[in-house]
mmCIF file of all heavy atoms in Angstrom:
data_model
loop_
_atom_site.group_PDB
_atom_site.id
_atom_site.type_symbol
_atom_site.label_atom_id
_atom_site.label_comp_id
_atom_site.label_asym_id
_atom_site.label_seq_id
_atom_site.Cartn_x
_atom_site.Cartn_y
_atom_site.Cartn_z
ATOM 1 N N ASN A 1 84.688 127.168 -2.022
ATOM 2 C CA ASN A 1 83.956 127.548 -0.812
ATOM 3 C C ASN A 1 84.052 129.054 -0.585
ATOM 4 O O ASN A 1 83.056 129.711 -0.270
ATOM 5 C CB ASN A 1 84.491 126.777 0.401
ATOM 6 C CG ASN A 1 83.624 126.983 1.617
ATOM 7 O OD1 ASN A 1 82.425 126.783 1.575
ATOM 8 N ND2 ASN A 1 84.239 127.408 2.709
ATOM 9 N N TRP A 2 85.258 129.618 -0.741
ATOM 10 C CA TRP A 2 85.405 131.074 -0.577
ATOM 11 C C TRP A 2 84.603 131.822 -1.635
ATOM 12 O O TRP A 2 84.037 132.883 -1.361
ATOM 13 C CB TRP A 2 86.876 131.480 -0.640
ATOM 14 C CG TRP A 2 87.532 131.379 0.689
ATOM 15 C CD1 TRP A 2 88.449 130.456 1.088
ATOM 16 C CD2 TRP A 2 87.298 132.222 1.813
ATOM 17 N NE1 TRP A 2 88.798 130.679 2.393
ATOM 18 C CE2 TRP A 2 88.109 131.760 2.865
ATOM 19 C CE3 TRP A 2 86.488 133.317 2.041
ATOM 20 C CZ2 TRP A 2 88.128 132.364 4.114
ATOM 21 C CZ3 TRP A 2 86.513 133.914 3.289
ATOM 22 C CH2 TRP A 2 87.325 133.432 4.304
ATOM 23 N N GLY A 3 84.547 131.273 -2.840
ATOM 24 C CA GLY A 3 83.734 131.891 -3.889
ATOM 25 C C GLY A 3 82.265 131.901 -3.523
ATOM 26 O O GLY A 3 81.563 132.898 -3.744
ATOM 27 N N SER A 4 81.785 130.789 -2.953
ATOM 28 C CA SER A 4 80.379 130.750 -2.542
ATOM 29 C C SER A 4 80.108 131.710 -1.382
ATOM 30 O O SER A 4 79.026 132.289 -1.294
ATOM 31 C CB SER A 4 79.958 129.322 -2.173
ATOM 32 O OG SER A 4 80.529 128.908 -0.965
ATOM 33 N N ILE A 5 81.098 131.904 -0.522
ATOM 34 C CA ILE A 5 80.930 132.882 0.558
ATOM 35 C C ILE A 5 80.889 134.294 -0.018
ATOM 36 O O ILE A 5 80.038 135.109 0.354
ATOM 37 C CB ILE A 5 82.074 132.750 1.597
ATOM 38 C CG1 ILE A 5 81.967 131.431 2.343
ATOM 39 C CG2 ILE A 5 82.058 133.925 2.574
ATOM 40 C CD1 ILE A 5 83.176 131.098 3.201
ATOM 41 N N GLY A 6 81.793 134.587 -0.931
ATOM 42 C CA GLY A 6 81.855 135.929 -1.501
ATOM 43 C C GLY A 6 80.660 136.276 -2.367
ATOM 44 O O GLY A 6 80.158 137.398 -2.329
ATOM 45 N N LEU A 7 80.188 135.322 -3.151
ATOM 46 C CA LEU A 7 79.088 135.606 -4.075
ATOM 47 C C LEU A 7 77.711 135.459 -3.438
ATOM 48 O O LEU A 7 76.806 136.241 -3.721
ATOM 49 C CB LEU A 7 79.178 134.674 -5.286
ATOM 50 C CG LEU A 7 80.373 134.883 -6.203
ATOM 51 C CD1 LEU A 7 80.433 133.789 -7.253
ATOM 52 C CD2 LEU A 7 80.313 136.252 -6.858
ATOM 53 N N PHE A 8 77.552 134.446 -2.587
ATOM 54 C CA PHE A 8 76.219 134.110 -2.086
ATOM 55 C C PHE A 8 76.098 134.174 -0.565
ATOM 56 O O PHE A 8 75.043 133.862 -0.030
ATOM 57 C CB PHE A 8 75.840 132.696 -2.553
ATOM 58 C CG PHE A 8 76.009 132.485 -4.026
ATOM 59 C CD1 PHE A 8 76.965 131.598 -4.507
ATOM 60 C CD2 PHE A 8 75.241 133.184 -4.945
ATOM 61 C CE1 PHE A 8 77.132 131.389 -5.865
ATOM 62 C CE2 PHE A 8 75.401 132.988 -6.305
ATOM 63 C CZ PHE A 8 76.345 132.090 -6.764
ATOM 64 N N GLN A 9 77.181 134.528 0.132
ATOM 65 C CA GLN A 9 77.216 134.525 1.585
ATOM 66 C C GLN A 9 76.783 133.167 2.135
ATOM 67 O O GLN A 9 76.016 133.056 3.091
ATOM 68 C CB GLN A 9 76.347 135.641 2.165
ATOM 69 C CG GLN A 9 76.832 137.011 1.803
ATOM 70 C CD GLN A 9 75.961 138.102 2.388
ATOM 71 O OE1 GLN A 9 74.872 137.856 2.890
ATOM 72 N NE2 GLN A 9 76.448 139.323 2.310
ATOM 73 N N PHE A 10 77.280 132.111 1.483
ATOM 74 C CA PHE A 10 76.929 130.743 1.853
ATOM 75 C C PHE A 10 78.215 129.942 2.046
ATOM 76 O O PHE A 10 78.988 129.752 1.114
ATOM 77 C CB PHE A 10 76.061 130.094 0.768
ATOM 78 C CG PHE A 10 75.677 128.682 1.081
ATOM 79 C CD1 PHE A 10 74.748 128.403 2.071
ATOM 80 C CD2 PHE A 10 76.242 127.627 0.391
ATOM 81 C CE1 PHE A 10 74.390 127.103 2.365
ATOM 82 C CE2 PHE A 10 75.886 126.317 0.668
ATOM 83 C CZ PHE A 10 74.959 126.060 1.663
ATOM 84 N N ASP A 11 78.452 129.480 3.266
ATOM 85 C CA ASP A 11 79.636 128.691 3.597
ATOM 86 C C ASP A 11 79.265 127.214 3.480
ATOM 87 O O ASP A 11 78.623 126.644 4.361
ATOM 88 C CB ASP A 11 80.113 129.027 5.011
ATOM 89 C CG ASP A 11 81.443 128.386 5.346
ATOM 90 O OD1 ASP A 11 81.874 127.463 4.631
ATOM 91 O OD2 ASP A 11 82.059 128.816 6.335
ATOM 92 N N LEU A 12 79.682 126.598 2.372
ATOM 93 C CA LEU A 12 79.327 125.214 2.090
ATOM 94 C C LEU A 12 79.913 124.261 3.129
ATOM 95 O O LEU A 12 79.234 123.331 3.576
ATOM 96 C CB LEU A 12 79.810 124.835 0.685
ATOM 97 C CG LEU A 12 79.445 123.457 0.178
ATOM 98 C CD1 LEU A 12 77.941 123.313 0.090
ATOM 99 C CD2 LEU A 12 80.080 123.205 -1.168
ATOM 100 N N VAL A 13 81.149 124.476 3.531
ATOM 101 C CA VAL A 13 81.781 123.605 4.529
ATOM 102 C C VAL A 13 81.015 123.667 5.848
ATOM 103 O O VAL A 13 80.722 122.634 6.461
ATOM 104 C CB VAL A 13 83.269 123.981 4.723
ATOM 105 C CG1 VAL A 13 83.878 123.227 5.889
ATOM 106 C CG2 VAL A 13 84.062 123.714 3.451
ATOM 107 N N ALA A 14 80.690 124.866 6.285
ATOM 108 C CA ALA A 14 79.946 125.022 7.536
ATOM 109 C C ALA A 14 78.563 124.389 7.421
ATOM 110 O O ALA A 14 78.081 123.757 8.371
ATOM 111 C CB ALA A 14 79.825 126.495 7.892
ATOM 112 N N TRP A 15 77.942 124.514 6.263
ATOM 113 C CA TRP A 15 76.614 123.934 6.059
ATOM 114 C C TRP A 15 76.663 122.409 6.132
ATOM 115 O O TRP A 15 75.811 121.783 6.754
ATOM 116 C CB TRP A 15 76.054 124.404 4.722
ATOM 117 C CG TRP A 15 74.695 123.867 4.411
ATOM 118 C CD1 TRP A 15 73.514 124.221 4.987
ATOM 119 C CD2 TRP A 15 74.390 122.864 3.440
ATOM 120 N NE1 TRP A 15 72.486 123.507 4.428
ATOM 121 C CE2 TRP A 15 72.995 122.666 3.473
ATOM 122 C CE3 TRP A 15 75.149 122.135 2.544
ATOM 123 C CZ2 TRP A 15 72.360 121.746 2.650
ATOM 124 C CZ3 TRP A 15 74.509 121.231 1.714
ATOM 125 C CH2 TRP A 15 73.129 121.041 1.777
ATOM 126 N N ILE A 16 77.696 121.821 5.520
ATOM 127 C CA ILE A 16 77.802 120.359 5.501
ATOM 128 C C ILE A 16 78.140 119.806 6.884
ATOM 129 O O ILE A 16 77.588 118.789 7.310
ATOM 130 C CB ILE A 16 78.871 119.913 4.473
ATOM 131 C CG1 ILE A 16 78.382 120.194 3.052
ATOM 132 C CG2 ILE A 16 79.210 118.438 4.630
ATOM 133 C CD1 ILE A 16 79.429 119.962 1.985
ATOM 134 N N PHE A 17 79.035 120.480 7.602
ATOM 135 C CA PHE A 17 79.558 119.920 8.841
ATOM 136 C C PHE A 17 78.975 120.546 10.109
ATOM 137 O O PHE A 17 79.478 120.307 11.196
ATOM 138 C CB PHE A 17 81.082 120.022 8.858
ATOM 139 C CG PHE A 17 81.731 119.186 7.792
ATOM 140 C CD1 PHE A 17 82.357 119.781 6.712
ATOM 141 C CD2 PHE A 17 81.691 117.803 7.855
ATOM 142 C CE1 PHE A 17 82.951 119.009 5.723
ATOM 143 C CE2 PHE A 17 82.272 117.025 6.871
ATOM 144 C CZ PHE A 17 82.905 117.631 5.800
ATOM 145 N N GLY A 18 77.958 121.378 9.998
ATOM 146 C CA GLY A 18 77.257 121.839 11.194
ATOM 147 C C GLY A 18 77.685 123.163 11.761
ATOM 148 O O GLY A 18 77.637 123.359 12.968
ATOM 149 N N GLY A 19 78.112 124.085 10.941
ATOM 150 C CA GLY A 19 78.470 125.419 11.405
ATOM 151 C C GLY A 19 79.974 125.627 11.442
ATOM 152 O O GLY A 19 80.753 124.676 11.442
ATOM 153 N N GLN A 20 80.376 126.903 11.473
ATOM 154 C CA GLN A 20 81.799 127.236 11.447
ATOM 155 C C GLN A 20 82.528 126.801 12.708
ATOM 156 O O GLN A 20 83.723 126.561 12.685
ATOM 157 C CB GLN A 20 81.984 128.739 11.245
ATOM 158 C CG GLN A 20 81.671 129.208 9.865
ATOM 159 C CD GLN A 20 81.939 130.693 9.705
ATOM 160 O OE1 GLN A 20 82.014 131.435 10.670
ATOM 161 N NE2 GLN A 20 82.076 131.109 8.459
ATOM 162 N N ASP A 21 81.824 126.711 13.814
ATOM 163 C CA ASP A 21 82.456 126.339 15.080
ATOM 164 C C ASP A 21 82.491 124.831 15.310
ATOM 165 O O ASP A 21 83.087 124.374 16.285
ATOM 166 C CB ASP A 21 81.737 127.008 16.246
ATOM 167 C CG ASP A 21 81.906 128.516 16.223
ATOM 168 O OD1 ASP A 21 82.930 128.977 15.683
ATOM 169 O OD2 ASP A 21 81.019 129.217 16.734
ATOM 170 N N ALA A 22 81.851 124.065 14.431
ATOM 171 C CA ALA A 22 81.844 122.608 14.588
ATOM 172 C C ALA A 22 83.255 122.052 14.389
ATOM 173 O O ALA A 22 84.041 122.573 13.593
ATOM 174 C CB ALA A 22 80.880 121.975 13.590
ATOM 175 N N LEU A 23 83.571 121.012 15.102
ATOM 176 C CA LEU A 23 84.908 120.424 15.058
ATOM 177 C C LEU A 23 85.282 119.976 13.642
ATOM 178 O O LEU A 23 86.393 120.252 13.171
ATOM 179 C CB LEU A 23 85.001 119.242 16.030
ATOM 180 C CG LEU A 23 86.342 118.521 16.068
ATOM 181 C CD1 LEU A 23 87.443 119.469 16.544
ATOM 182 C CD2 LEU A 23 86.264 117.302 16.945
ATOM 183 N N LEU A 24 84.358 119.325 12.939
ATOM 184 C CA LEU A 24 84.660 118.852 11.582
ATOM 185 C C LEU A 24 84.923 120.017 10.625
ATOM 186 O O LEU A 24 85.816 119.932 9.777
ATOM 187 C CB LEU A 24 83.534 117.967 11.052
ATOM 188 C CG LEU A 24 83.466 116.566 11.663
ATOM 189 C CD1 LEU A 24 82.242 115.828 11.138
ATOM 190 C CD2 LEU A 24 84.719 115.777 11.379
ATOM 191 N N SER A 25 84.171 121.093 10.761
ATOM 192 C CA SER A 25 84.413 122.272 9.922
ATOM 193 C C SER A 25 85.791 122.841 10.182
ATOM 194 O O SER A 25 86.532 123.178 9.252
ATOM 195 C CB SER A 25 83.366 123.349 10.190
ATOM 196 O OG SER A 25 82.094 122.939 9.778
ATOM 197 N N ARG A 26 86.161 122.933 11.439
ATOM 198 C CA ARG A 26 87.481 123.474 11.789
ATOM 199 C C ARG A 26 88.594 122.577 11.277
ATOM 200 O O ARG A 26 89.647 123.060 10.853
ATOM 201 C CB ARG A 26 87.561 123.673 13.301
ATOM 202 C CG ARG A 26 86.591 124.767 13.753
ATOM 203 C CD ARG A 26 86.625 124.993 15.208
ATOM 204 N NE ARG A 26 88.000 125.398 15.573
ATOM 205 C CZ ARG A 26 88.372 125.648 16.804
ATOM 206 N NH1 ARG A 26 87.514 125.530 17.792
ATOM 207 N NH2 ARG A 26 89.605 126.002 17.065
ATOM 208 N N ILE A 27 88.368 121.269 11.278
ATOM 209 C CA ILE A 27 89.363 120.340 10.733
ATOM 210 C C ILE A 27 89.522 120.564 9.231
ATOM 211 O O ILE A 27 90.638 120.622 8.720
ATOM 212 C CB ILE A 27 88.984 118.878 11.050
ATOM 213 C CG1 ILE A 27 89.157 118.616 12.551
ATOM 214 C CG2 ILE A 27 89.816 117.899 10.227
ATOM 215 C CD1 ILE A 27 88.598 117.280 13.013
ATOM 216 N N VAL A 28 88.393 120.704 8.524
ATOM 217 C CA VAL A 28 88.456 120.940 7.077
ATOM 218 C C VAL A 28 89.170 122.247 6.787
ATOM 219 O O VAL A 28 90.053 122.313 5.911
ATOM 220 C CB VAL A 28 87.038 120.934 6.449
ATOM 221 C CG1 VAL A 28 87.073 121.408 5.010
ATOM 222 C CG2 VAL A 28 86.439 119.543 6.531
ATOM 223 N N TYR A 29 88.846 123.313 7.507
ATOM 224 C CA TYR A 29 89.515 124.600 7.305
ATOM 225 C C TYR A 29 91.021 124.481 7.556
ATOM 226 O O TYR A 29 91.830 125.038 6.811
ATOM 227 C CB TYR A 29 88.937 125.672 8.233
ATOM 228 C CG TYR A 29 87.481 126.007 8.016
ATOM 229 C CD1 TYR A 29 86.635 126.223 9.098
ATOM 230 C CD2 TYR A 29 86.947 126.111 6.742
ATOM 231 C CE1 TYR A 29 85.300 126.546 8.917
ATOM 232 C CE2 TYR A 29 85.615 126.424 6.552
ATOM 233 C CZ TYR A 29 84.796 126.638 7.635
ATOM 234 O OH TYR A 29 83.479 126.951 7.441
ATOM 235 N N THR A 30 91.396 123.732 8.585
ATOM 236 C CA THR A 30 92.812 123.561 8.914
ATOM 237 C C THR A 30 93.543 122.754 7.854
ATOM 238 O O THR A 30 94.662 123.094 7.454
ATOM 239 C CB THR A 30 92.953 122.892 10.296
ATOM 240 O OG1 THR A 30 92.273 123.691 11.267
ATOM 241 C CG2 THR A 30 94.404 122.742 10.688
ATOM 242 N N VAL A 31 92.916 121.699 7.357
ATOM 243 C CA VAL A 31 93.548 120.876 6.320
ATOM 244 C C VAL A 31 93.723 121.678 5.031
ATOM 245 O O VAL A 31 94.759 121.589 4.361
ATOM 246 C CB VAL A 31 92.731 119.585 6.086
ATOM 247 C CG1 VAL A 31 93.197 118.835 4.851
ATOM 248 C CG2 VAL A 31 92.811 118.677 7.299
ATOM 249 N N VAL A 32 92.746 122.490 4.684
ATOM 250 C CA VAL A 32 92.868 123.341 3.496
ATOM 251 C C VAL A 32 93.992 124.356 3.688
ATOM 252 O O VAL A 32 94.785 124.609 2.775
ATOM 253 C CB VAL A 32 91.520 124.035 3.173
ATOM 254 C CG1 VAL A 32 91.692 125.100 2.104
ATOM 255 C CG2 VAL A 32 90.497 123.008 2.722
ATOM 256 N N ALA A 33 94.106 124.918 4.875
ATOM 257 C CA ALA A 33 95.183 125.871 5.156
ATOM 258 C C ALA A 33 96.552 125.197 5.074
ATOM 259 O O ALA A 33 97.496 125.756 4.511
ATOM 260 C CB ALA A 33 94.986 126.502 6.534
ATOM 261 N N LEU A 34 96.673 123.985 5.603
ATOM 262 C CA LEU A 34 97.934 123.248 5.506
ATOM 263 C C LEU A 34 98.270 122.917 4.049
ATOM 264 O O LEU A 34 99.441 122.941 3.653
ATOM 265 C CB LEU A 34 97.867 121.970 6.346
ATOM 266 C CG LEU A 34 97.846 122.174 7.855
ATOM 267 C CD1 LEU A 34 97.603 120.849 8.573
ATOM 268 C CD2 LEU A 34 99.135 122.822 8.334
ATOM 269 N N SER A 35 97.245 122.636 3.257
ATOM 270 C CA SER A 35 97.459 122.398 1.827
ATOM 271 C C SER A 35 97.992 123.644 1.145
ATOM 272 O O SER A 35 98.858 123.566 0.275
ATOM 273 C CB SER A 35 96.152 121.968 1.152
ATOM 274 O OG SER A 35 95.707 120.755 1.681
ATOM 275 N N ALA A 36 97.481 124.792 1.538
ATOM 276 C CA ALA A 36 97.962 126.052 0.966
ATOM 277 C C ALA A 36 99.426 126.274 1.307
ATOM 278 O O ALA A 36 100.215 126.687 0.447
ATOM 279 C CB ALA A 36 97.117 127.217 1.463
ATOM 280 N N VAL A 37 99.793 125.971 2.535
ATOM 281 C CA VAL A 37 101.196 126.120 2.940
ATOM 282 C C VAL A 37 102.070 125.170 2.134
ATOM 283 O O VAL A 37 103.147 125.536 1.657
ATOM 284 C CB VAL A 37 101.345 125.877 4.463
ATOM 285 C CG1 VAL A 37 102.808 125.795 4.863
ATOM 286 C CG2 VAL A 37 100.635 126.963 5.242
ATOM 287 N N TRP A 38 101.611 123.948 1.935
ATOM 288 C CA TRP A 38 102.366 122.978 1.137
ATOM 289 C C TRP A 38 102.521 123.464 -0.306
ATOM 290 O O TRP A 38 103.580 123.340 -0.913
ATOM 291 C CB TRP A 38 101.673 121.621 1.164
ATOM 292 C CG TRP A 38 102.378 120.617 0.307
ATOM 293 C CD1 TRP A 38 102.059 120.273 -0.972
ATOM 294 C CD2 TRP A 38 103.542 119.867 0.644
ATOM 295 N NE1 TRP A 38 102.952 119.344 -1.438
ATOM 296 C CE2 TRP A 38 103.872 119.073 -0.462
ATOM 297 C CE3 TRP A 38 104.329 119.785 1.783
ATOM 298 C CZ2 TRP A 38 104.960 118.214 -0.462
ATOM 299 C CZ3 TRP A 38 105.399 118.919 1.770
ATOM 300 C CH2 TRP A 38 105.705 118.158 0.664
ATOM 301 N N CYS A 39 101.461 124.032 -0.860
ATOM 302 C CA CYS A 39 101.496 124.459 -2.263
ATOM 303 C C CYS A 39 102.391 125.668 -2.497
ATOM 304 O O CYS A 39 102.730 125.952 -3.647
ATOM 305 C CB CYS A 39 100.080 124.712 -2.768
ATOM 306 S SG CYS A 39 99.178 123.182 -3.037
ATOM 307 N N ILE A 40 102.767 126.367 -1.447
ATOM 308 C CA ILE A 40 103.742 127.444 -1.607
ATOM 309 C C ILE A 40 105.027 126.880 -2.199
ATOM 310 O O ILE A 40 105.678 127.514 -3.024
ATOM 311 C CB ILE A 40 103.996 128.158 -0.266
ATOM 312 C CG1 ILE A 40 102.757 128.942 0.158
ATOM 313 C CG2 ILE A 40 105.210 129.080 -0.354
ATOM 314 C CD1 ILE A 40 102.836 129.494 1.568
ATOM 315 N N SER A 41 105.373 125.659 -1.804
ATOM 316 C CA SER A 41 106.599 125.036 -2.314
ATOM 317 C C SER A 41 106.532 124.796 -3.825
ATOM 318 O O SER A 41 107.565 124.722 -4.485
ATOM 319 C CB SER A 41 106.872 123.725 -1.591
ATOM 320 O OG SER A 41 105.920 122.738 -1.949
ATOM 321 N N LEU A 42 105.328 124.676 -4.372
ATOM 322 C CA LEU A 42 105.189 124.471 -5.820
ATOM 323 C C LEU A 42 105.716 125.673 -6.607
ATOM 324 O O LEU A 42 106.176 125.524 -7.741
ATOM 325 C CB LEU A 42 103.729 124.215 -6.193
ATOM 326 C CG LEU A 42 103.101 122.940 -5.650
ATOM 327 C CD1 LEU A 42 101.628 122.889 -6.021
ATOM 328 C CD2 LEU A 42 103.826 121.718 -6.128
ATOM 329 N N LEU A 43 105.646 126.845 -6.021
ATOM 330 C CA LEU A 43 106.120 128.047 -6.702
ATOM 331 C C LEU A 43 107.629 128.046 -6.891
ATOM 332 O O LEU A 43 108.145 128.682 -7.809
ATOM 333 C CB LEU A 43 105.725 129.290 -5.901
ATOM 334 C CG LEU A 43 104.248 129.596 -5.812
ATOM 335 C CD1 LEU A 43 104.009 130.735 -4.837
ATOM 336 C CD2 LEU A 43 103.697 129.923 -7.175
ATOM 337 N N PHE A 44 108.338 127.344 -6.031
ATOM 338 C CA PHE A 44 109.793 127.388 -6.038
ATOM 339 C C PHE A 44 110.448 126.120 -6.568
ATOM 340 O O PHE A 44 111.658 125.990 -6.526
ATOM 341 C CB PHE A 44 110.297 127.675 -4.617
ATOM 342 C CG PHE A 44 109.748 128.952 -4.075
ATOM 343 C CD1 PHE A 44 108.734 128.945 -3.136
ATOM 344 C CD2 PHE A 44 110.221 130.173 -4.532
ATOM 345 C CE1 PHE A 44 108.206 130.127 -2.645
ATOM 346 C CE2 PHE A 44 109.701 131.368 -4.043
ATOM 347 C CZ PHE A 44 108.699 131.342 -3.100
ATOM 348 N N ARG A 45 109.655 125.199 -7.076
ATOM 349 C CA ARG A 45 110.203 123.952 -7.600
ATOM 350 C C ARG A 45 110.504 124.065 -9.080
ATOM 351 O O ARG A 45 109.794 124.739 -9.822
ATOM 352 C CB ARG A 45 109.218 122.808 -7.410
ATOM 353 C CG ARG A 45 109.085 122.383 -6.004
ATOM 354 C CD ARG A 45 108.341 121.092 -5.950
ATOM 355 N NE ARG A 45 107.623 120.999 -4.694
ATOM 356 C CZ ARG A 45 106.639 120.157 -4.481
ATOM 357 N NH1 ARG A 45 106.242 119.362 -5.439
ATOM 358 N NH2 ARG A 45 106.050 120.112 -3.324
ATOM 359 N N ASP A 46 111.537 123.351 -9.512
ATOM 360 C CA ASP A 46 111.831 123.229 -10.935
ATOM 361 C C ASP A 46 111.034 122.035 -11.439
ATOM 362 O O ASP A 46 111.317 120.895 -11.081
ATOM 363 C CB ASP A 46 113.328 123.014 -11.159
ATOM 364 C CG ASP A 46 113.680 122.919 -12.634
ATOM 365 O OD1 ASP A 46 112.855 123.333 -13.468
ATOM 366 O OD2 ASP A 46 114.777 122.431 -12.935
ATOM 367 N N THR A 47 110.028 122.292 -12.255
ATOM 368 C CA THR A 47 109.129 121.220 -12.684
ATOM 369 C C THR A 47 109.513 120.602 -14.019
ATOM 370 O O THR A 47 108.847 119.693 -14.478
ATOM 371 C CB THR A 47 107.681 121.739 -12.783
ATOM 372 O OG1 THR A 47 107.650 122.836 -13.697
ATOM 373 C CG2 THR A 47 107.182 122.167 -11.422
ATOM 374 N N THR A 48 110.571 121.093 -14.659
ATOM 375 C CA THR A 48 110.976 120.490 -15.925
ATOM 376 C C THR A 48 111.666 119.172 -15.651
ATOM 377 O O THR A 48 112.444 119.022 -14.724
ATOM 378 C CB THR A 48 111.916 121.418 -16.716
ATOM 379 O OG1 THR A 48 113.057 121.699 -15.911
ATOM 380 C CG2 THR A 48 111.210 122.705 -17.077
#
């Protein structure tokens, strides 16, 4: 989605869910942000 914003100025999430201010869009943005916070832990885990 960020790539589509950067390359084409097109926000796919906002387009699907009715704009950046729509409740569903904000939920998707928040869930993606929480996923990013969770994935920080992947950097510090021993995966062997």
Side-chain angles (χ1 to χ4, degrees):
N1 189 53
W2 274 108
S4 72
I5 292 170
L7 293 173
F8 309 114
Q9 296 180 348
F10 179 72
D11 188 345
L12 184 62
V13 172
W15 180 72
I16 291 172
F17 295 110
Q20 287 183 340
D21 293 333
L23 179 63
L24 286 175
S25 293
R26 294 180 60 181
I27 290 171
V28 170
Y29 297 139
T30 303
V31 169
V32 170
L34 290 173
S35 297
V37 170
W38 177 263
C39 286
I40 291 171
S41 70
L42 295 176
L43 293 172
F44 302 104
R45 288 192 209 163
D46 182 17
T47 58
T48 58

